[in-house]
């Protein structure tokens, strides 16, 4: 098979690598923008051969790393929300005590 049969899959891998770079930088808007590009490339299909397997493995490695960055980002958001909730409760308690 010629290299062109893998072009769409190579584009999907390159896009996954760009998504990983964006996720590493915390640029989640870029990750979201790139996702449809990757999905379209994957929808074009690819041959069932060793080259495709290697390309898909690389894409899955990127996905796992992106998921790791996403988990850390979610944890950070949850931590910040918890802190703001504590601040709100503290301010509410202070105001309640001041009104007494």
């Amino acid at each position: 098979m010629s290299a062109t049969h893998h072009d769409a899959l190579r584009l999907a891998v390159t896009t996954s690598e760009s998504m990983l770079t964006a996720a590493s930088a915390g640029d989640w808007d870029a990750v979201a923008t790139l996702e449809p590009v990757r999905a379209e490339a994957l929808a074009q299909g690819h041959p069932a051969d060793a080259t495709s397997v290697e390309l898909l493995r690389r894409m899955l490695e990127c996905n796992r790393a992106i998921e790791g960055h996403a988990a850390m980002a979610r944890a950070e958001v949850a931590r910040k929300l918890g802190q703001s909730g504590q601040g709100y409760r503290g301010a509410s308690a202070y105001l309640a005590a001041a009104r007494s």
Side-chain angles (χ1 to χ4, degrees), residues 2 14 17-18 20 23-24 30-31 37 40 57 64 71 76 94:
S2 72
T14 301
E17 291 169 344
S18 296
L20 176 54
S24 297
V31 173
V37 174
E40 184 178 325
R57 281 188 181 141
R64 282 190 286 275
E76 179 64 14
Y94 174 80

Side-chain angles (χ1 to χ4, degrees), residues 63-88:
N63 284 354
R64 282 190 286 275
I66 292 166
E67 289 170 0
H69 288 293
M72 288 188 292
R74 281 191 302 270
E76 179 64 14
V77 167
R79 185 186 67 75
K80 287 181 179 180
L81 285 173
Q83 287 177 343
S84 68
Q86 289 173 350
Y88 175 79

